Structures are given as structure tokens and as C-alpha cells.
Amino acid sequence: MLSPFERILFFLLVAICLAAVANTFTLMARVIGRGQGKLNLNDLPRRVMTGIAALVSQGRIIRHRKLTSLMHYGVAFGFIFYGLVNVIDVLEGLIPGFTFFHDNIIGQVFRLAADLFAAAVLIGVAYFLLRRFAAQDPALKIRGNVKLMERVREGGIAVDSLIVGLFILMHVGSRLLAASFAVAQHGADAWQPVANFIAGTFLGGLSPDALTFGTHFFWWLAVGLILIFLPYFPYTKHAHLFMGPFNFMTSPERTYLGQMFKLNLDDESIEQFGANDLDDLPQKHIVDAFACIMCNRCQEVCPAYNTGKELSPAALEINKRYYIRENMSALAAGAANGTPLLDYAISQSAVWACTACGHCIEICPVGNVPMLDIMEIRRDQVMMQSEFPEQLKGAFVGMERMGNPWQAQSSRMEWAAPLPFEVPTVEENPNYEYLLWVGCAGAFNPDAQKTVRAVATILNAAGVSFATLGDDETCTGDSARRAGNEPLYQAMAEANIETLNAAKANERRIVTSCPHCFTTIGKEYGELGGHYAVFHHTQLIADLVGRGKLRLNGKTLEQATFHDPCYLGRHNGVLAEPRASLAAAGMTLLEMPRNGKDSFCCGAGGAQYWKEEEHGVSGETVNANRYREARATGAAVLAVGCPFCNTMMSDANRDQGEPMQVRDVAELVVEAMAVPLATN
């Protein structure tokens, strides 16, 4: 129990702390408020539950770095529980005679939890400090060719980590010592085994006055550290404790992992499109900077970083964080901010090295979306600065003038010429069940043409009524949008929506062999008024096999490994159907270490297919990195489910002398078809 003087001192410190907390948290809120749009707070009860779920699961960090994640769970849950511990300690110190159910099971369990969580926190924080400063884990470092603010490069992250680590060690350690002194003073407590051990081992010979002093001293140290540290929260990585759940809670609803949202191109009052400086980013993206824990998990899975390029999604968020930190007061006061993101947050080479694979978004335990920052910067570069890789001009011109990035002028139906049956257009078969969306790759790329022919063969054999748009089909605009050319994307999307609706595709189903078309038509056209039920061909194959509409001999018995396309598996969660189709075709699946939602990119996404790949210090290309992993499985067949993956893996295979067969799932299924079925 505190003396009257101590109680007065405590309330004075609380008043000072609350004033400081109000100031620094107000600064943080004002900086976030400088961003575009608003944070999403509609349907608040559900969003609060989303935040709580993120807090409890810690962003599902257990999926990777198992030991580190377990340590983090101990630290996180322990520190959160210590919020209650601090409240109880303060009440017991301020209120004469108050104890928290001391002889009741509730109080006993509370003391046990506080004791064990203290041990978990101290062990966990010691692990993290040793990992960073003694072991110097390479995963926590950022390569020298990546743009990083000078203060960060000179040890800013290490200092921040040390401050946070020492604060937690001292706070929790002080509270545990206060409990240990109290145990030594009042007698053993079986519900506090760690405090009992400390009291019995180290404090047994102290006088009553020393024990009383120790109890008060460490009580003040534990509580005082919280009061001192709280105003400093927004300036440290420890802010992720509450900003992470808040980030999940206020994130916009997306139809798939990496959905981009349309720009209002018709609003003449808008002078800036895309993000040139911090203020141009959506408010949620500024929250990202405060939420970032600097764990580098996003960097660890980034295709560009893994092949030595200048892009690190972690560095992007860390640079944003430190820029805000160094200019917090000025930004909060409304000072003009004309510092381009390219000056401090990310290099131009890194902006164009992104494959838009979405892995940085999927893996982030605090809900950050660095890929979408890059997409916003690309919009500024293309629409406002007219600065983009020269090779993209050809793709843009082809989409604008000829409806395809290949700049091909031939018929989009030439792929069907070798088939032994007629492929009808919508005019010829207006009562179709499935509209076969061929896609630009399927129409003009020889490897992709084989895939579309296989899909058409499967539809024909299963007796599925289908049709195509023929030469009325044009590019979906996916590459234009990922390259930052939003006006071109919207023009192509609106034209396609008009064509699709005229063909009554909004009343039927669409099947495509391209995950990018699958995503764009099915998940992004809705913003522009086009709502369609779109299926990837592996989904349709699995369904046809499951319903007995397609019979396969299943006798291939060949070993295959499947490369999950980013825009099928990670972005849209289509994982089981391609594997079910391969199994039905008799393939024995050998999984690569990076598979499913953790699949490594082929290197073609994000409009990379239409430009030269940025040079990295390793000299390795993204597709070579992925192919090396596929070949290491020992499989004879590398199965794919995307025309761009097909090309990238085929190129890598040819570079190695073609030791594997690179085949689309549809091609393998056609080979396993027992009897072509014209009906039922």
C-alpha cells in the first residue's frame, strides 16, 4: 500500500503522462489524417471483432518462423495480460486494504498467470535481443543496394529494438521482483512459482525494512516505466501492439488479396492521381507505417529481393515510418509536404521491379500492403510524371490500338483452327452455358494456344455448351492497371463490360485459363458495373470430374510438381482444384517447398512480362529461381495453370536444356481423357 505522499506523487505523474499521451497520439492521428480518403469504420462491431481476432492470432505469425513466432506469442500475450496486472497493482497500491481476491481461486489463478506470463515475456524478449544483437540473424538485415534512410542504415532499427526490448525487460522484470519481495515479506505463495524461487533463492536474508523498500521500489519502477513509455509509443516499433489490430480493423473490404481500387478520372477537381508524396497515399497506407514491426517477413518472400534487386517491401514501410518520425510535429501541424516518396522511401528501380505477386500482403502479421503503395507510385509515375520503362510503351500502344499488348493484328480465333470440332461464337451459340474467355495470351501466344485448345477439348468432351466472343474479345487491361496506366485499364474494362453484357455473360458463367483475366473480370470489373461469375479452368475441370461429366483414365502415374500462379493461389485462394485435376489425371504430386499461398512468383506479374527485368546483385532472374526449386523436386513434369507462368517456366526450362516437361494442367487432363464424351 502506498503512503499519502506516494499517492499524491502517483496522481501527479499520471496527469503528466496523460497530457503527454494525448499530445503524441494526437500527432499520430493528425499525420494519418493527412492521407487520402477515410479509414473504414462502417459495420463497426464486425470490424472490432476482426481487430480482436488479429490481436489474438497475432496476424497468424505462426505460419512462418515457428520458434520466433512462439516466442512472440509469449511476449505479446504476456504484455497484454500485464495491462490487467498493472491495473490491479495500482488499485492495490492506492486503496487501503484492497487485494484482488487473494484467497479466492480467481485471485490465485490471476497470480499464477501473472507469474508465468512474466517468465514467458522475459524469456521471449531475451531471445529477441540475443537474436538481433548476438546472433545477428541475417533475416533482420536489409541488403546494401536497397534504399534505406541514413538514420535507419546507421542503426535506427537496432536502437529502436533495444529501447523497446529493455523497456519490456525492465517493466516486467521489475513487477516480478516486486512480487518476489512481497513473497519474501509475507511468506511463500504456491501460486507464484517463479516469484517463490526468486524470493527463496536470493531474498531470504534481507531485513523486513529492506523487503518493504524492495517491494515499493520495484512497484514504482514497474508502474513508472509504463507512465514514462506510453507517450513515446507512437515513435517506436512497439506501436504495432495496437496499430496492427487497428490496421486489420480499418482496412477496406477487398474482393481478393491485392485488389486495386478505381480512380475517379472524371472528377476535374482532382489534380493528383497516384502517390507522389506521403499525403497522396490512402490513410490506411499511413497506418501501415505505424503498424510495421520491422520483422522483414515481407522482404523474406519478395521475388525481387530474393533475386538481388533493389526492392524490399520492409524497407519501404520502414522508410515511411522514419520519415514520419523525424517530421511528426511538422506534419501534424499541417506543414507542406513536397518530399517525393522516391526521394526517401523507395528507388525508381525498386518500383518497377515489383511483380505484384501479393506475398508481402499475405504474409504481413500487421496487415500492411506495401505492394499497393508501389501500385500507387506507379500510377503517379505513368499518369503524372510520364516516367516508366520504355518497353511498356509497346504494350500500352498495343492495348490501346489493337486490343492486345502483343500488338497482334491477326484474328483472335486462329488458336481454334487445329481443333477437330467447331468452336462456336456467341452469335452461333447464343444459349451457351459457359463463355470461354480466351485472353490475349490464349489468342496470340503459341504455348498458351495449346492450353486454350485443351480447355475447349475438355468442354467439348464433357458436353458443356460453350461459346467465345471471337474477335469481339479484347484485353482485360490487367497489365495496364498493374503498370500504373489506370485510364487505359478503365477504357478497356468499360468496353469489355459492354461486350460481355451484350453477350449476356452476366447471366451465364465465364471460364478462362488465365488467372489474371479470372481476377480482373471476376473481381475488379464489379467496381465499374460488370458483375460476372468467373471460373478458372482448373475449377471447372475439378467440378466436371467430380460430377462424372469427365472421365479420366488416371493411369499416367508420372511425377509432377505444380507451380501455383500468384493470381490463382495467393490472391484468390484457388489451391485444391488444380491439384485435384492433376490427381484425377493420374499424376503423383511432388510439392515444392514454396507452394500454395507461399508459392514463389514466376516473375511475369505486375506487367513485368512486357519489360526487361531489373538487374539484381545476384544476377539471377525470378523465373530461374523458381525453376531451380521445381527441378529440385525430381519431378518429370512442371505443371502450370497460367499462360504467363507457362512462358516463364518454359524459358527457364529451355535455358537448362529442357530436362522437364512444362505443361498446363488442362493439357495433362486431355492426355488422360479415356473417351471423348459428346454428351453427358
Side-chain angles (χ1 to χ4, degrees):
M1 176 183 159
L2 301 180
S3 67
F5 171 75
E6 286 177 309
R7 285 199 289 272
I8 293 172
L9 179 60
F10 173 79
F11 285 118
L12 179 62
L13 288 176
V14 167
I16 295 172
C17 168
L18 291 178
V21 166
N23 177 58
T24 54
F25 277 71
T26 298
L27 294 180
M28 181 171 65
R30 287 176 177 169
V31 171
I32 294 170
R34 292 182 64 129
Q36 300 302 304
K38 298 292 181 183
L39 296 176
N40 294 273
L41 294 171
N42 59 305
D43 195 9
L44 195 57
R46 180 185 58 79
R47 288 186 173 276
V48 169
M49 291 306 298
T50 298
I52 292 173
L55 180 65
V56 171
S57 72
Q58 293 293 292
R60 300 181 296 136
I61 57 173
I62 196 64
R63 296 171 297 163
H64 302 272
R65 301 182 184 175
K66 303 295 184 185
L67 176 60
T68 298
S69 298
L70 288 172
M71 290 293 182
H72 190 273
Y73 277 124
V75 173
F77 292 150
F79 195 81
I80 292 168
F81 185 77
Y82 254 60
L84 174 62
V85 171
N86 290 325
V87 171
I88 299 301
D89 285 352
V90 168
L91 291 176
E92 289 185 342
L94 293 177
I95 303 174
F98 173 78
T99 59
F100 186 70
F101 299 104
H102 188 271
D103 297 321
N104 186 285
I105 187 63
I106 296 175
Q108 293 166 341
V109 171
F110 167 77
R111 295 199 303 279
L112 177 64
D115 190 79
L116 296 180
F117 271 130
V121 170
L122 295 175
I123 291 170
V125 173
Y127 166 83
F128 287 120
L129 291 175
L130 288 171
R131 176 173 173 246
R132 180 175 290 277
F133 296 104
Q136 296 191 358
D137 190 336
L140 300 176
K141 299 182 183 298
I142 297 175
R143 199 172 46 243
N145 69 327
V146 173
K147 182 186 281 288
L148 205 58
M149 290 181 69
E150 185 177 351
R151 180 178 174 183
V152 182
R153 185 73 73 187
E154 292 176 352
I157 298 175
V159 171
D160 194 12
S161 299
L162 184 62
I163 290 172
V164 171
L166 291 178
F167 156 68
I168 297 175
L169 279 178
M170 292 177 66
H171 168 63
V172 175
S174 296
R175 199 278 170 185
L176 179 60
L177 286 173
S180 301
F181 272 90
V183 166
Q185 186 176 19
H186 300 295
D189 182 358
W191 294 95
Q192 299 184 81
V194 180
N196 260 351
F197 172 78
I198 295 173
T201 305
F202 303 105
L203 307 179
L206 297 179
S207 66
D209 287 345
L211 294 175
T212 299
F213 174 81
T215 303
H216 279 247
F217 175 80
F218 286 110
W219 183 96
W220 270 106
L221 189 56
V223 175
L225 282 168
I226 286 288
L227 295 177
I228 292 170
F229 193 78
L230 274 177
Y232 187 57
F233 246 122
Y235 291 92
T236 76
K237 62 185 286 183
H238 203 43
H240 78 272
L241 180 67
F242 55 89
M243 291 306 288
F246 180 75
N247 205 7
F248 279 107
M249 187 182 85
T250 57
S251 292
E253 299 291 336
R254 287 191 164 88
T255 57
Y256 72 97
L257 180 73
Q259 183 186 5
M260 297 173 65
F261 296 110
K262 71 174 184 178
L263 299 178
N264 187 356
L265 302 175
D266 297 325
D267 189 343
E268 296 181 357
S269 67
I270 298 177
E271 298 180 353
Q272 171 67 39
F273 292 108
N276 181 57
D277 60 39
L278 188 76
D279 294 353
D280 298 328
L281 290 171
Q283 290 186 10
K284 182 261 182 286
H285 294 211
I286 300 178
V287 172
D288 286 356
F290 287 104
C292 181
I293 192 175
M294 308 182 196
C295 64
N296 290 359
R297 289 172 186 252
C298 55
Q299 171 182 283
E300 196 169 53
V301 299
C302 176
Y305 190 85
N306 271 270
T307 50
K309 298 173 179 62
E310 295 181 16
L311 173 58
S312 163
L316 169 60
E317 297 297 349
I318 292 167
N319 286 333
K320 284 162 56 183
R321 157 71 72 82
Y322 273 84
Y323 177 79
I324 293 171
R325 177 174 174 156
E326 293 176 358
N327 300 278
M328 181 96 84
S329 296
L331 290 171
N337 174 34
T339 307
L341 290 162
L342 288 174
D343 281 3
Y344 65 89
I346 188 171
S347 70
Q348 193 161 42
S349 174
V351 166
W352 294 105
C354 178
T355 66
C357 74
H359 212 165
C360 59
I361 300 175
E362 196 276 334
I363 202 171
C364 182
V366 292
N368 287 357
V369 291
M371 183 198 94
L372 296 179
D373 275 9
I374 293 171
M375 296 299 105
E376 292 297 332
I377 295 171
R378 286 185 180 182
R379 281 170 161 173
D380 170 73
Q381 288 289 287
V382 173
M383 299 172 65
M384 307 302 296
Q385 315 297 333
S386 295
E387 294 285 344
F388 52 88
E390 182 71 23
Q391 302 95 335
L392 288 175
K393 286 184 179 179
F396 289 163
V397 169
M399 284 185 274
E400 185 175 0
R401 296 181 183 176
M402 286 154 273
N404 70 85
W406 268 270
Q407 304 185 65
Q409 299 185 40
S410 56
S411 170
R412 296 181 75 101
M413 288 300 293
E414 287 187 4
W415 64 272
L419 289 172
F421 55 88
E422 291 295 323
V423 175
T425 63
V426 169
E427 289 76 11
E428 295 165 336
N429 183 21
N431 296 317
Y432 65 89
E433 180 184 358
Y434 278 91
L435 177 71
L436 175 57
W437 183 273
V438 177
C440 297
F444 304 114
N445 180 284
D447 289 330
Q449 287 177 337
K450 296 177 185 177
T451 301
V452 180
R453 282 196 288 270
V455 175
T457 299
I458 291 167
L459 293 171
N460 183 69
V464 175
S465 176
F466 73 99
T468 71
L469 291 174
D471 287 321
D472 288 339
E473 183 183 299
T474 60
C475 181
T476 63
D478 164 77
S479 292
R481 174 168 249 197
R482 297 315 180 278
N485 196 335
E486 183 73 8
L488 180 54
Y489 159 73
Q490 288 194 22
M492 303 202 77
E494 288 166 357
N496 278 325
I497 289 170
E498 184 177 350
T499 301
L500 287 167
N501 289 348
K504 298 187 177 180
N506 54 331
E507 302 172 10
R508 315 287 173 79
R509 298 175 178 179
I510 300 173
V511 62
T512 181
S513 59
C514 177
H516 296 269
C517 298
F518 167 78
T519 300
T520 306
I521 299 172
K523 304 297 178 70
E524 294 197 328
Y525 278 11
E527 267 198 311
L528 298 170
H531 301 280
Y532 310 102
V534 186
F535 298 86
H536 187 255
H537 69 282
T538 58
Q539 292 177 300
L540 180 58
I541 291 169
D543 178 64
L544 292 173
V545 171
R547 291 192 291 126
K549 302 282 284 184
L550 188 67
R551 293 200 296 269
L552 306 179
N553 59 36
K555 296 179 181 178
T556 306
L557 300 179
E558 203 164 13
Q559 291 184 327
T561 189
F562 179 64
H563 164 72
D564 291 271
C566 298
Y567 275 77
L568 188 65
R570 182 159 43 251
H571 280 282
N572 285 291
V574 179
L575 304 170
E577 292 88 337
R579 290 167 171 80
S581 300
L582 289 170
M587 309 298 292
T588 300
L589 192 63
L590 302 177
E591 292 283 12
M592 286 181 263
R594 296 176 292 189
N595 65 79
K597 289 190 176 182
D598 283 324
S599 177
F600 196 70
C601 184
C602 75
Q608 294 296 316
Y609 191 89
W610 310 108
K611 54 181 279 296
E612 292 296 325
E613 188 170 327
E614 277 68 24
H615 179 72
V617 292
S618 72
E620 185 179 41
T621 59
V622 175
N623 64 331
N625 183 294
R626 181 55 164 172
Y627 178 79
R628 178 161 44 85
E629 184 177 14
R631 190 176 177 187
T633 64
V637 177
L638 172 51
V640 296
C642 168
F644 298 104
C645 295
N646 195 337
T647 297
M648 301 302 284
M649 293 300 99
S650 294
D651 287 348
N653 189 41
R654 279 189 286 270
D655 289 343
Q656 296 298 316
E658 298 190 325
M660 301 182 76
Q661 298 180 55
V662 180
R663 310 288 297 282
D664 190 277
V665 173
E667 295 178 75
L668 297 169
V669 167
V670 167
E671 288 184 357
M673 285 168 54
V675 179
L677 303 177
T679 59
N680 59 21

